[in-house]
Amino acid sequence: MDDRLKELMQELGNAINESLSDSERIAEAIGEIKRAGYDVFLVLEATIGFNKREEGAEHEAGESDDLPADFESAAKLKWTSQDHKFLRALKIAIDEEK
């Protein structure tokens, strides 16, 4: 990994840490937990991927080289009751073809 990428990754980590530290909402939630008599240990994990683009390649934000713009899946999924329960817990609704 080159030094510039390491520097940029460190900058990203610092920005994330700073934004969490400055969050009034997070501070309030932690304060409530402490007032309830608990110690708080906050550990967050982030997975951040990097892909080096080829020189001269035009690449718009949000654009994917993996699939054509008019890609449409023909796959059919069978959802179990556990799948529905999990998605509802995440507040995700699915439209099923009957």
Side-chain angles (χ1 to χ4, degrees), residues 51-65:
N51 287 322
K52 181 77 172 169
R53 292 192 304 259
E54 294 179 23
E55 287 189 34
E58 295 290 323
H59 202 286
E60 297 287 326
E63 184 179 300
S64 173
D65 293 330

Side-chain angles (χ1 to χ4, degrees), residues 10-86:
Q10 182 64 43
E11 187 176 324
L12 176 59
N14 291 341
I16 292 169
N17 187 43
E18 186 178 311
S19 67
L20 291 173
S21 297
D22 291 346
S23 170
E24 288 182 30
R25 187 171 180 193
I26 292 173
E28 288 172 7
I30 290 173
E32 288 292 320
I33 294 169
K34 286 182 177 182
R35 282 188 287 282
Y38 296 93
D39 289 328
V40 179
F41 301 94
L42 178 62
V43 178
L44 300 176
E45 182 177 330
T47 302
I48 302 171
F50 299 94
N51 287 322
K52 181 77 172 169
R53 292 192 304 259
E54 294 179 23
E55 287 189 34
E58 295 290 323
H59 202 286
E60 297 287 326
E63 184 179 300
S64 173
D65 293 330
D66 298 336
L67 300 173
D70 60 349
F71 177 81
E72 192 172 312
S73 173
K76 300 283 185 199
L77 297 175
K78 290 188 178 184
W79 300 97
T80 67
S81 60
Q82 287 182 325
D83 294 331
H84 286 279
K85 184 177 179 180
F86 176 73

